[in-house]
Amino acid sequence: MKQLSGKERRYQAWINHNISKAIISQAKQTQSFVSIEDLTGIRERTNQKPRNKTERRRSNSWAFYQLRTFLEYKGIKEGIEVIAINPRYTSQTCHCCLHIGLRNHKFFKCSNKACGWIGDADLNGSLMIALVGRSVRSPGGSSLLACPVNSGLQKAHAKLSL
Ligand SMILES: [Zn+2]
């Protein structure tokens, strides 16, 4: 946090305030809940090894942590549930078929030939977080896993929940 100037911090806080406000407001309108990656270890990690290379990521991490705090705060205020999801595998797993895929910088490519989803890695990660959030919230609710590619999905989901 000390790495950011007061001006940058205030600007970031303003951005996070607006993002979280928009998310909670949309969740309220659509009667949804919010899933977010659980990056609780982030503060400990970010205090280690101050290196130039990680500078941007560290400030991003701090910003992300603040966003989550704002979401939780506003969520409580508006009666919107905010669920933190273990980030393990969310970036490597295909949101369509739950197979492990390849992540190459910005792109994700599903290794399951029957699926073969290719797209933005962050989009896939976000959809995975939403998917895990839904299954966490409704145990056994695999019918909620709506996806055009359903082959092997039930099996994969069963395997995942073991
Ligand atoms: Zn896939």
Side-chain angles (χ1 to χ4, degrees), residues 77-96:
K77 211 171 137 191
E78 300 291 333
I80 299 299
E81 199 176 347
V82 178
I83 299 173
I85 300 301
N86 187 332
R88 211 172 161 189
Y89 305 129
T90 51
S91 64
Q92 308 160 32
T93 310
C94 173
H95 74 279
C96 265

Side-chain angles (χ1 to χ4, degrees), residues 42 46 52-63:
I42 225 156
T46 53
N52 284 339
K53 201 182 169 188
T54 57
E55 203 68 20
R56 198 190 300 157
R57 202 180 63 220
R58 284 162 70 220
S59 56
N60 282 344
S61 300
W62 169 79

